[in-house]
């Protein structure tokens, strides 16, 4: 007698196994005790809102960096591992500009504001040119080769930029600004936004914008600046790609490079523009991160690059909106993990979440947009 067998659902089996593994193996170490977490939220709901603010602010920075990854991959299918280190150079560029212009010691609100604007412009321009130069020197000649050669080249460029940052941080004339000697040590990035508020007397010099409301929350000028500037940059980039002639050429190149070339689009120009824009965004993120986290480190680009690339994959590699969404999600997930679980296991929790999501959505939350070969 024949018996019918149900088709085994491997996807559910793998997902269930992975979830059980995380819960039972990592639970006691990570602190993944959901009843305890829910009890903490119930006892102090405002703390949840505070972690939400922190997550949105850090997620905004991650999203800005992730845009550079997703744009480059969408155009030429290259994982630009040096992008996180370009962001690190943006942090040091901003800090150096603030030091050279005397902004760090100033008590004049006009001078502080001018110094911050100048630092933003210089950081954006320098990182944009650096990223475009990397493409021209290290990637362009390898564009039509196999995938391994550009990948190794990107890793090599990453190491080179990291060592440039290490030498930059070791410059003796910057020691008064950086606060410590030795290039390997973390440097102090002064809280110039709070200094601007105090110097201008805005909100009575109180850096907490919610101080007059009586709510036990801390929402500072730093949080406001990071979120507003990030949203403005992301909206500007999205409108640029959708509405401008160059943006349409970028989308055409991403869909089919050969067809775009036959239609008269200068592929080299489009790719250079993509690296230029991505580098500029990394420079802006560098100033934002320095002002928000108040530190600068030659190795900070590695973790930021890892989180940002993860955000791009989570949202859908090559998808601009996906990179934005992924950045905010990772920022929130990291904030809640640091606050309610165990900060030492935050990266593990972030990547475990990524794996679980990709099991159900292999192309990311909003879908992958990649080059279609002719």
């Amino acid at each position: 007698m024949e018996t019918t067998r149900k088709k085994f659902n491997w996807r559910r089996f793998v997902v269930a196994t992975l979830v059980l593994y995380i819960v039972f193996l990592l639970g006691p170490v990570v602190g993944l005790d959901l009843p305890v977490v829910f009890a903490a939220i119930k006892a102090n709901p405002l703390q949840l809102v505070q972690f939400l603010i922190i997550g949105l602010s850090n997620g905004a920075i991650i999203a800005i960096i992730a845009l550079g990854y997703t744009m480059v991959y969408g155009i030429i299918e290259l994982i630009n591992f040096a992008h996180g280190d370009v962001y690190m150079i943006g942090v040091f560029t901003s800090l150096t500009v603030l030091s050279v212009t005397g902004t760090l010691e100033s008590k004049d609100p006009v001078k502080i504001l001018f110094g911050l604007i100048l630092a933003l412009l210089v950081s954006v321009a320098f990182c944009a040119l650096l990223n475009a130069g990397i493409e021209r020197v290290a990637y362009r000649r390898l564009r039509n080769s196999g995938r391994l050669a550009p990948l190794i080249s990107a890793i090599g460029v990453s190491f080179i930029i990291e060592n440039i940052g290490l030498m930059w941080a070791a410059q003796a004339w910057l020691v008064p600004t950086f606060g410590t000697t030795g290039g390997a040590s973390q440097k102090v990035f002064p809280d110039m936004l709070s200094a601007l508020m105090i110097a201008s007397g805005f909100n009575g010099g109180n850096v907490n914008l919610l101080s007059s409301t009586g709510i036990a929350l801390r929402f500072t000028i730093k949080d406001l600046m990071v979120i507003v500037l990030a949203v403005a940059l992301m909206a500007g980039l999205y409108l640029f790609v959708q509405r401008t002639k160059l943006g349409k050429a970028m989308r055409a190149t991403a869909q089919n490079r050969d067809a775009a070339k036959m239609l008269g689009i200068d592929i080299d120009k489009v790719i250079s523009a993509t690296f230029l824009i991505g580098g500029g965004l990394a420079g802006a993120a560098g100033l934002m991160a320095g002002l928000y986290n108040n530190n600068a480190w030659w190795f900070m680009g590695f973790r930021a690059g890892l989180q940002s690339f993860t955000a791009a994959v989570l949202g859908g590699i090559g998808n601009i909106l996906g990179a934005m969404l992924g950045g905010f999600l990772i920022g929130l997930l990291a904030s809640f993990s640091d606050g309610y679980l165990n900060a030492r296991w935050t990266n593990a929790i972030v990547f475990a979440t990524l794996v679980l999501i990709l099991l159900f959505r292999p192309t990311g939350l909003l879908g992958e947009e990649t080059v279609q070969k002719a």
Side-chain angles (χ1 to χ4, degrees), residues 102-144:
T103 306
L104 299 179
E105 298 81 19
S106 177
K107 304 296 182 183
D108 182 1
V110 176
K111 186 174 182 179
I112 294 175
L113 182 60
F114 173 78
L116 290 173
I117 295 174
L118 181 62
L120 176 63
L121 295 176
V122 173
S123 180
V124 167
F126 184 74
C127 290
L129 293 174
L130 174 62
N131 211 36
I134 291 172
E135 185 275 329
R136 182 66 181 85
V137 173
Y139 300 153
R140 182 170 296 186
R141 295 185 180 182
L142 301 175
R143 193 179 298 161
N144 296 320

Coordinates of all heavy atoms in Angstrom, one line a residue, residues 102-144:
G102 N 40.4 77.6 14.6 CA 40.2 78.2 16.0 C 38.8 78.0 16.5 O 38.5 78.6 17.6
T103 N 38.0 77.2 15.9 CA 36.6 77.0 16.3 C 36.5 76.3 17.7 O 35.6 76.6 18.5 CB 35.8 76.2 15.3 OG1 36.0 76.9 14.0 CG2 34.3 76.2 15.6
L104 N 37.4 75.4 17.9 CA 37.4 74.6 19.2 C 37.5 75.5 20.4 O 36.9 75.2 21.5 CB 38.4 73.5 19.1 CG 38.3 72.5 18.0 CD1 39.5 71.5 18.1 CD2 37.0 71.8 18.0
E105 N 38.3 76.6 20.3 CA 38.5 77.4 21.5 C 37.6 78.6 21.5 O 37.6 79.4 22.5 CB 39.9 77.9 21.5 CG 41.0 76.8 21.7 CD 41.3 76.2 20.3 OE1 41.0 76.8 19.3 OE2 41.8 75.0 20.4
S106 N 36.8 78.8 20.5 CA 36.0 80.0 20.4 C 34.7 80.0 21.3 O 34.1 78.9 21.5 CB 35.5 80.2 18.9 OG 34.7 81.3 18.8
K107 N 34.3 81.2 21.8 CA 33.1 81.3 22.5 C 32.1 82.2 21.8 O 31.0 82.5 22.3 CB 33.4 82.0 23.9 CG 34.4 81.3 24.7 CD 34.0 79.9 25.1 CE 35.0 79.2 26.0 NZ 34.6 77.9 26.4
D108 N 32.5 82.5 20.5 CA 31.6 83.4 19.7 C 30.7 82.4 18.9 O 31.1 81.6 18.1 CB 32.4 84.2 18.7 CG 31.6 85.1 17.9 OD1 30.4 85.1 18.0 OD2 32.2 85.8 17.0
P109 N 29.3 82.5 19.1 CA 28.4 81.6 18.4 C 28.5 81.7 16.9 O 28.3 80.8 16.1 CB 27.1 82.0 18.9 CG 27.2 83.4 19.5 CD 28.6 83.5 20.0
V110 N 28.8 83.0 16.4 CA 28.9 83.1 14.9 C 30.1 82.4 14.4 O 30.0 81.7 13.3 CB 28.9 84.6 14.6 CG1 29.1 84.8 13.1 CG2 27.7 85.3 15.0
K111 N 31.2 82.5 15.1 CA 32.4 81.8 14.6 C 32.3 80.3 14.7 O 32.7 79.6 13.9 CB 33.6 82.3 15.5 CG 34.9 81.8 15.0 CD 36.1 82.3 15.7 CE 37.4 81.8 15.2 NZ 38.6 82.4 15.9
I112 N 31.6 79.8 15.8 CA 31.4 78.4 15.9 C 30.5 77.9 14.8 O 30.8 76.8 14.2 CB 30.8 78.1 17.3 CG1 31.7 78.4 18.4 CG2 30.4 76.6 17.4 CD1 31.1 78.3 19.8
L113 N 29.4 78.6 14.5 CA 28.6 78.2 13.4 C 29.3 78.2 12.1 O 29.1 77.3 11.3 CB 27.3 79.1 13.4 CG 26.3 78.8 12.3 CD1 25.7 77.4 12.5 CD2 25.1 79.8 12.3
F114 N 30.0 79.3 11.8 CA 30.8 79.3 10.6 C 31.8 78.2 10.5 O 32.0 77.6 9.4 CB 31.6 80.7 10.5 CG 32.5 80.8 9.3 CD1 32.0 81.0 8.1 CD2 33.9 80.6 9.5 CE1 32.9 81.1 7.0 CE2 34.7 80.7 8.4 CZ 34.3 80.9 7.2
G115 N 32.5 77.9 11.6 CA 33.5 76.8 11.6 C 32.8 75.4 11.3 O 33.4 74.6 10.6
L116 N 31.6 75.2 11.9 CA 30.9 73.9 11.6 C 30.5 73.8 10.2 O 30.6 72.7 9.6 CB 29.7 73.8 12.5 CG 30.0 73.7 14.0 CD1 28.7 73.7 14.8 CD2 30.7 72.3 14.3
I117 N 30.0 74.9 9.6 CA 29.6 74.9 8.2 C 30.8 74.6 7.3 O 30.8 73.8 6.3 CB 28.9 76.2 7.8 CG1 27.6 76.3 8.6 CG2 28.6 76.2 6.3 CD1 26.8 77.6 8.4
L118 N 31.9 75.3 7.6 CA 33.1 75.2 6.8 C 33.7 73.7 7.0 O 34.1 73.1 6.0 CB 34.2 76.1 7.3 CG 35.5 76.1 6.5 CD1 35.3 76.5 5.1 CD2 36.6 77.0 7.2
A119 N 33.6 73.2 8.2 CA 34.1 71.8 8.4 C 33.2 70.8 7.6 O 33.8 69.8 7.0 CB 34.0 71.4 9.9
L120 N 31.9 71.1 7.5 CA 31.0 70.2 6.7 C 31.4 70.3 5.2 O 31.5 69.2 4.6 CB 29.6 70.6 6.9 CG 28.5 69.9 6.1 CD1 28.5 68.4 6.5 CD2 27.1 70.5 6.3
L121 N 31.6 71.5 4.7 CA 31.9 71.6 3.3 C 33.2 71.0 2.9 O 33.3 70.3 1.9 CB 31.8 73.1 2.9 CG 30.5 73.8 3.1 CD1 30.6 75.3 2.8 CD2 29.4 73.2 2.2
V122 N 34.2 71.3 3.8 CA 35.6 70.7 3.5 C 35.6 69.2 3.6 O 36.1 68.5 2.7 CB 36.6 71.3 4.4 CG1 38.0 70.7 4.2 CG2 36.7 72.8 4.2
S123 N 34.9 68.7 4.6 CA 34.8 67.2 4.7 C 34.1 66.6 3.6 O 34.6 65.5 3.1 CB 34.2 66.9 6.1 OG 34.1 65.5 6.3
V124 N 33.0 67.1 3.2 CA 32.2 66.6 2.0 C 33.1 66.6 0.8 O 33.2 65.6 0.0 CB 30.9 67.3 1.8 CG1 30.3 67.0 0.5 CG2 30.0 67.0 3.0
A125 N 33.7 67.8 0.5 CA 34.5 67.9 -0.7 C 35.7 67.0 -0.7 O 36.0 66.3 -1.7 CB 34.9 69.4 -0.9
F126 N 36.4 66.9 0.4 CA 37.6 66.1 0.5 C 37.3 64.6 0.3 O 38.0 63.9 -0.4 CB 38.4 66.4 1.8 CG 39.7 65.7 1.9 CD1 40.8 66.1 1.2 CD2 39.8 64.5 2.7 CE1 42.0 65.4 1.3 CE2 41.0 63.9 2.8 CZ 42.1 64.3 2.1
C127 N 36.3 64.2 1.0 CA 36.0 62.7 0.9 C 35.4 62.4 -0.4 O 35.6 61.3 -0.9 CB 35.0 62.4 2.1 SG 35.7 62.4 3.7
A128 N 34.6 63.3 -1.0 CA 34.1 63.1 -2.4 C 35.2 62.9 -3.4 O 35.3 61.9 -4.2 CB 33.2 64.2 -2.8
L129 N 36.2 63.8 -3.3 CA 37.4 63.7 -4.2 C 38.2 62.4 -3.9 O 38.7 61.8 -4.9 CB 38.2 64.9 -4.1 CG 37.6 66.2 -4.6 CD1 38.5 67.4 -4.3 CD2 37.3 66.2 -6.1
L130 N 38.4 62.1 -2.6 CA 39.1 60.9 -2.3 C 38.4 59.7 -2.8 O 39.1 58.8 -3.4 CB 39.2 60.8 -0.7 CG 39.9 59.6 -0.2 CD1 41.3 59.4 -0.6 CD2 39.8 59.6 1.4
N131 N 37.1 59.6 -2.7 CA 36.4 58.4 -3.1 C 36.5 58.3 -4.7 O 36.6 57.2 -5.2 CB 35.0 58.4 -2.7 CG 34.4 57.1 -2.4 OD1 35.1 56.1 -2.0 ND2 33.1 56.9 -2.7
A132 N 36.3 59.4 -5.3 CA 36.4 59.4 -6.8 C 37.8 59.0 -7.3 O 38.0 58.3 -8.3 CB 36.0 60.8 -7.4
G133 N 38.8 59.5 -6.5 CA 40.2 59.2 -6.9 C 40.5 57.7 -6.7 O 41.2 57.1 -7.4
I134 N 39.9 57.1 -5.6 CA 40.0 55.7 -5.4 C 39.5 54.9 -6.6 O 40.1 53.9 -7.1 CB 39.3 55.3 -4.1 CG1 40.1 55.8 -2.9 CG2 39.2 53.7 -4.0 CD1 39.4 55.7 -1.6
E135 N 38.3 55.3 -7.0 CA 37.7 54.6 -8.2 C 38.6 54.7 -9.4 O 38.8 53.8 -10.2 CB 36.3 55.2 -8.5 CG 35.5 54.5 -9.6 CD 35.9 55.0 -11.0 OE1 36.2 56.2 -11.1 OE2 35.8 54.2 -11.9
R136 N 39.1 55.9 -9.6 CA 39.9 56.2 -10.8 C 41.2 55.4 -10.8 O 41.6 54.8 -11.8 CB 40.2 57.7 -11.0 CG 41.0 58.0 -12.2 CD 40.2 57.8 -13.5 NE 41.0 58.1 -14.7 CZ 41.8 57.3 -15.3 NH1 42.0 56.0 -14.8 NH2 42.4 57.6 -16.4
V137 N 41.9 55.3 -9.7 CA 43.2 54.7 -9.6 C 43.1 53.1 -9.3 O 43.8 52.4 -10.0 CB 44.0 55.3 -8.4 CG1 45.3 54.6 -8.2 CG2 44.3 56.8 -8.7
A138 N 42.2 52.7 -8.4 CA 42.2 51.3 -8.0 C 41.2 50.5 -8.6 O 41.4 49.2 -8.7 CB 42.0 51.3 -6.5
Y139 N 40.0 51.0 -9.1 CA 38.9 50.2 -9.5 C 38.7 50.2 -11.0 O 38.2 49.2 -11.6 CB 37.6 50.6 -8.8 CG 37.7 50.5 -7.3 CD1 36.8 51.3 -6.5 CD2 38.5 49.6 -6.7 CE1 36.9 51.2 -5.2 CE2 38.5 49.5 -5.3 CZ 37.7 50.3 -4.6 OH 37.7 50.2 -3.2
R140 N 38.9 51.3 -11.7 CA 38.5 51.5 -13.1 C 39.1 50.4 -14.0 O 38.5 49.8 -14.9 CB 38.8 52.9 -13.6 CG 38.3 53.1 -15.0 CD 38.4 54.6 -15.4 NE 37.5 55.4 -14.6 CZ 37.3 56.7 -14.8 NH1 37.9 57.3 -15.8 NH2 36.4 57.4 -14.0
R141 N 40.4 50.2 -13.9 CA 41.1 49.3 -14.8 C 40.7 47.8 -14.5 O 40.9 46.9 -15.3 CB 42.6 49.4 -14.6 CG 43.1 50.8 -15.1 CD 44.6 50.9 -15.0 NE 45.1 52.2 -15.4 CZ 46.4 52.5 -15.5 NH1 47.3 51.6 -15.2 NH2 46.8 53.7 -15.9
L142 N 40.1 47.6 -13.3 CA 39.7 46.2 -13.0 C 38.2 46.0 -13.2 O 37.7 44.9 -12.9 CB 40.0 45.9 -11.5 CG 41.5 46.1 -11.1 CD1 41.6 45.9 -9.6 CD2 42.4 45.1 -11.9
R143 N 37.5 47.0 -13.8 CA 36.1 46.9 -14.0 C 35.6 45.7 -14.8 O 34.6 45.1 -14.5 CB 35.6 48.2 -14.6 CG 34.1 48.4 -14.5 CD 33.7 49.8 -15.1 NE 34.3 50.9 -14.4 CZ 34.5 52.1 -14.9 NH1 34.1 52.3 -16.1 NH2 35.0 53.0 -14.2
N144 N 36.3 45.4 -15.8 CA 35.9 44.3 -16.7 C 36.6 43.0 -16.4 O 36.5 42.0 -17.1 CB 36.2 44.7 -18.1 CG 35.4 45.9 -18.6 OD1 34.2 46.0 -18.2 ND2 36.0 46.8 -19.4

